[in-house]
Each structure stands twice: as C-alpha cells, then as structure tokens.
Amino acid sequence: MGENTVTVIDNRTGKQIELPVMQSTQGPDAVDIGRFLRETGYFTYDPGFLSTASCHSRLTYLDGKQGMLQYRGYPIEQLAEHSSFIEVAYLMLCGELPDQAQLEGFQHKITHHSMLNESLKGFFRGFYHDAHPMAIMVGVVGSLSAFYHDSTDINNPKHREIAGHRMIAKMPVIAAASYKHSIGEPQVYPDNSLSYTGNLLNMMFSVPCEEYEIDPVAERALDLIFILHADHEQNASTSTVRLAGSSGANPFACIASGIAALWGPAHGGANEAVLAMLDEIGDVRSVPKYLDRAKDRTDPFRLMGFGHRVYKNYDPRARIIRKMCHEVLAKLGEGDDPMFELALRLEEIARSDEYFIQRNLYPNVDFYSGLIYKALGIPTNMFTVMFAIARTVGWVAQWMEMIGEEDQRIGRPRQLYVGAKQRDYQPPGER
Ligand code: SDX
C-alpha cells in the first residue's frame, strides 16, 4: 500500500482500491476520487458538499475550527487593519501585495474602467421604480457582454484581465445607478479623483443641486467591510461562478450568475434579512420567543446572521465588524441605536443558549454588516448589492484561477437516482 493513499474496501464484494491523497499547504488533505466510479462502480454522495473539495485553489484559506480567514496567506485581521480594498483586489488577482507603483497603476486601471456605456443608462429606466436593486444588477451585469466584445475571449489572458478589471470597476457604478433609479434621482457619473468607496458614496448620495461631502468615517467603514467580503473560498455564489465559467461562458455572464446565487437569504441576502428580523423582534423582551421559534424544526424561522457552513467557531469577520460597528455608530452619532442594542443582546442571549452552543451557531459576518450600512444611510434593499460589489473581487479572482488551469474541464456533477424504474408507455385509455 502506498504511503500517500487511502484504501477503500467494499464490504459487499471484498474488493479494495487505493486512492491517492492530494496534499494541502494548510487545512485538510484531499482524497482524489476521480477514478472512484470507474474502479468501484459507485458514485460518492455529498449533496451540500460538506466534505467535498470542488477544486484546488491558492486564493483564500478558511479554518472553521480556529475561526481563521486568510487571503493569499495574509490573515484577514492584518489586511483589515493595514490594507485597502483596492490593494486586496490586487493581492487576490495577482498573488502578491503590490509595491507603490504597482498599486497606483492598478488603481488607475480600475478608475479608468469605471464609466458605463451610455446606452446602458436606458436599461435602468426599463425597470419599474420599485425593482429590487439585485434584480437590476443581475440584468445589467449579464448584459455587459453585449457591450464588451473586445474582452470575452476567455482563452486570452489579456481579455481575462480587462474583463476582470471592468467588472471590479463597474460594479459600484451599476449599484449606484440601480439605487438612483429606485429613488427617481439622476444617475451620478464616477469621479476619477475619488477613492473606490468615496466614489460609490458620491454616486449614491450626491445630487446635482448641491455639494456632497464624503464622510471619511463612512468611506473607511465601507472599505473595511469590502475587504472582509472580498472572497470566501468556495461559497455558494463563487461555486456558481466557477461552474458557469467551466462551460466557457463569458465572464460577465458568470458574474451575473454569482450575483443571482448571492441573493438568497441563506447566503448574501442574510444581511438584509437580519435587519428585517431585528425589526420583527422589535424588543429584547421578545427575544426568547424568537429563539424558541428558531429551535422549532417545524417553524421555518431561522436566526438570520447566525450559523455558518464552515465556521463552527466565531466568524473572524464578525469579530472585526462587531468592533467596527460600535465605532462607526458612535462616530455617526447612532451609538445608542436601539437596533444595535437589540443585536448585541440577541447575540448575548443566543450564545448562552444550549441549542446554539451545541450547534456552534455564532454570529456571522452578515449579523452586523447591515447595522453599519443602515447607519451609513444605505437602504436595506441595497445591503446585498454592497456584498456583491465586494465579492466581485473574489468571483473574478476565482474565475481567473479556474480558467487559467491547464486541466480545466466542464463541471458536471452526477446524482443518486431514486426515481421510477424503467417502465413502458401506456396509451391514455389503459392508464
Ligand atoms: C454567508 O459559505 C460562505 O462562506 C458564505 C459567506 C460568504 O462569505 O460567502 O460566509 C456568507 O452566506 C454567511 C451565512 C449567512 N446566512 C445566514 O445568516 C442565514 C442563517 N444561517 C443558516 O441558514 C445556516 O446557518 C447556514 C445556511 C449559514 C449554514 O447552513 P448549514 O451549514 O447547512 O447548517 P445546517 O442548516 O445544517 O444547520 C445545522 C443545524 C441544524 O439543526 P439540526 O438539524 O442539527 O437540529 O443548526 C441549525 C439547523 O436547524 N441552524 C440554525 C441556524 N443555522 C443552522 N438554527 C437556527 N438559526 C440559524 N441561523
């Protein structure tokens, strides 16, 4: 038996096979089951991918037990304290932290890809005023491939790079335009003299009739939230982008598929759902009643912003954002925001409850991010849009990594078929 293999014995036939072990640089190694069907006649079964690695990657490492998150090996705590979202974007796309010239060059590229084709403005007007901004985003991002034919040859690394830069640059513009459409205000063009998040704030909140002053607290808070949300290994939306990309679909269509997957309340839609939940709970006296509902398997109510597929310890991003939430609310004069107080009390009560302790249900990144967005004056239906802007860096980096792999092939999972056995067609009169 090879020392770097595992042996699988079929107790029904006595047959045994050896499968190679692929070694990681951090975290669990992986058993390569590529030959499993051919050698055993069995599929493996793991519907939620709880134990299944869909790819190998050099981008992001999570340790759910330790509550660790690293981008290209750098701990999220250090990046949150010392870096910027644009610098993190460079790190994720290029693999190393940039020197000053590289950072300025990258910033220049992103800034100068931010304008939208003027014809796109008509798309926003086509949506009803109360269209959810995520619906607008899915539609507009998916349509970008109709405008950028010069960057959709996915086998050309230059095209891949331009398409990636375009996506990162245009997401804030599309987000802000979606918001402006929903409130009936004119779109604001990007301003190349502003930072990435300063530009977003300006495009969302400035109006032609008066000067708009960007609040540096809001600018830095958004930049930090975006760093925390930039990438997160093979989460549902990133896996969707990779699967769409594996068929050779153009990058804009792939990112649109990621936006659609992110929208779900079990994933990126949770930040919006947390605010709705806190609003519904209303008062700390109602918390026990809602905790009982969360524990009741017959009740679909879940404690939004709690739990995580990977983190069975505190989500490191939640720890960072909780601290920042306090600071931002205090600086913006919302320190005694009753909803924030309720969130703190809910966390305290839930984390002392046996049900949550047993299931390692801690607050995740979405539990607090919505409170900060709310304090910054961002409407609830834009919370997941904010998440999508940040996660575009991860989606682009993961898509680039996958497309760039020599052995890249279309993703095509199998199934355990449990339906009807073969049977013959009967004419209607004989059924
Ligand atoms: C994000 O994958 C990522 O990395 C995602 C993300 C990223 O950056 O991309 O981190 C962003 O999506 C964070 C998660 C945001 N979602 C929510 O806050 C929604 C609420 N959370 C749950 O829906 C749930 O915790 C999930 C979806 C996050 C995780 O689901 P799992 O891993 O499939 O866990 P599970 O549903 O199997 O739960 C295990 C147990 C179950 O109870 P038992 O069957 O053991 O009795 O815990 C219970 C669940 O009923 N449970 C909860 C709960 N989450 C899990 N009970 C009450 N409230 C909750 N929130």
Side-chain angles (χ1 to χ4, degrees):
M1 271 175 230
E3 80 279 1
N4 222 10
T5 62
V6 295
T7 302
V8 176
I9 298 171
D10 181 346
N11 292 320
R12 300 199 287 188
T13 63
K15 187 177 176 207
Q16 67 178 41
I17 62 163
E18 283 195 36
L19 295 169
V21 172
M22 300 172 74
Q23 287 182 311
S24 70
T25 48
Q26 291 192 87
D29 291 340
V31 177
D32 181 346
I33 57 170
R35 301 191 335 259
F36 198 82
L37 175 62
R38 200 170 51 244
E39 304 222 0
T40 69
Y42 292 109
F43 289 143
T44 59
Y45 183 71
D46 184 14
F49 305 114
L50 285 153
S51 309
T52 299
S54 60
C55 63
H56 56 252
S57 178
R58 294 172 181 79
L59 289 164
T60 294
Y61 173 66
L62 312 186
D63 182 318
K65 288 198 182 71
Q66 306 290 326
M68 275 167 62
L69 168 60
Q70 296 167 4
Y71 293 158
R72 296 280 194 181
Y74 292 98
I76 191 68
E77 293 79 5
Q78 293 180 26
L79 293 171
E81 189 175 346
H82 304 296
S83 189
S84 68
F85 180 64
I86 281 295
E87 184 177 73
V88 164
Y90 182 98
L91 171 66
M92 294 306 276
L93 266 57
C94 306
E96 299 297 333
L97 286 168
D99 62 26
Q100 195 52 39
Q102 288 166 328
L103 181 59
E104 284 166 13
F106 182 70
Q107 170 79 62
H108 184 271
K109 277 183 194 162
I110 297 297
T111 300
H112 290 82
H113 272 303
S114 56
M115 277 185 72
L116 294 179
N117 185 302
E118 207 58 12
S119 321
L120 263 169
K121 288 181 79 165
F123 278 55
F124 296 95
R125 281 196 290 274
F127 288 94
Y128 209 52
H129 71 90
D130 62 355
H132 195 292
M134 282 297 279
I136 299 176
M137 228 185 189
V138 170
V140 172
V141 169
S143 73
L144 289 179
S145 47
F147 292 85
Y148 299 110
H149 303 293
D150 65 342
S151 63
T152 53
D153 172 3
I154 58 166
N155 300 307
N156 178 332
K158 272 319 280 169
H159 280 208
R160 295 203 294 265
E161 186 184 60
I162 295 171
H165 292 167
R166 278 182 165 141
M167 270 321 324
I168 294 168
K170 296 181 192 308
M171 284 293 272
V173 187
I174 294 168
S178 307
Y179 171 60
K180 284 300 197 186
H181 174 71
S182 70
I183 56 174
E185 286 186 5
Q187 287 181 28
V188 175
Y189 287 103
D191 175 339
N192 291 354
S193 68
L194 298 175
S195 71
Y196 192 82
T197 49
N199 210 2
L200 174 59
L201 289 166
N202 187 56
M203 291 186 290
M204 283 185 71
F205 297 119
S206 74
V207 288
C209 353
E210 59 188 25
E211 278 305 304
Y212 173 73
E213 203 176 315
I214 294 163
D215 180 337
V217 173
E219 189 175 13
R220 174 59 188 147
L222 266 189
D223 196 77
L224 176 53
I225 291 181
F226 283 5
I227 290 173
L228 299 179
H229 284 78
D231 192 42
H232 213 238
E233 196 209 63
Q234 304 311 317
N235 57 85
S237 53
T238 297
S239 299
T240 303
V241 170
R242 277 182 173 258
L243 198 55
S246 73
S247 74
N250 74 72
F252 306 105
C254 295
I255 300 299
S257 73
I259 298 171
L262 185 75
W263 197 0
H267 188 15
N271 53 19
E272 182 175 347
V274 166
L275 267 286
M277 174 189 73
L278 291 172
D279 211 26
E280 185 184 345
I281 293 174
D283 182 291
V284 70
R285 291 187 297 262
S286 307
V287 167
K289 176 178 74 171
Y290 281 89
L291 287 187
D292 289 341
R293 285 189 58 193
K295 299 178 216 172
D296 177 359
R297 308 285 307 228
T298 61
D299 188 330
F301 177 80
R302 278 276 186 284
L303 218 44
M304 301 318 280
F306 273 77
H308 198 278
R309 170 60 56 76
V310 176
Y311 291 125
K312 298 311 173 190
N313 189 330
Y314 211 83
D315 180 338
R317 303 166 300 176
R319 190 177 288 113
I320 296 168
I321 220 169
R322 181 179 193 268
K323 179 171 171 288
M324 185 186 67
C325 192
H326 230 304
E327 288 163 13
V328 167
L329 291 175
K331 281 182 186 163
L332 295 177
E334 316 251 347
D336 53 0
D337 174 354
M339 206 173 246
F340 180 62
E341 293 309 316
L342 175 59
L344 287 175
R345 290 285 294 127
L346 175 61
E347 178 192 359
E348 191 186 319
I349 298 169
R351 288 184 58 194
S352 57
D353 183 294
E354 206 37 51
Y355 176 94
F356 288 85
I357 294 169
Q358 256 176 20
R359 290 166 178 76
N360 300 310
L361 298 177
Y362 297 93
N364 56 50
V365 69
D366 293 304
F367 186 65
Y368 287 103
S369 57
L371 290 166
I372 297 173
Y373 290 142
K374 177 174 171 282
L376 299 181
I378 293 168
T380 310
N381 68 1
M382 284 290 290
F383 289 3
T384 311
V385 170
M386 294 290 133
F387 194 150
I389 294 172
R391 189 51 57 87
T392 297
V393 163
W395 291 332
V396 165
Q398 300 264 354
W399 172 77
M400 281 179 168
E401 181 177 64
M402 175 197 68
I403 294 289
E405 295 288 354
E406 285 302 310
D407 60 352
Q408 191 270 320
R409 53 198 311 192
I410 190 165
R412 205 278 186 216
R414 301 305 303 273
Q415 63 174 14
L416 175 70
Y417 178 71
V418 292
K421 290 187 177 165
Q422 184 168 319
R423 51 188 171 164
D424 296 325
Y425 179 86
Q426 268 105 29
E430 295 172 24
R431 290 173 195 163

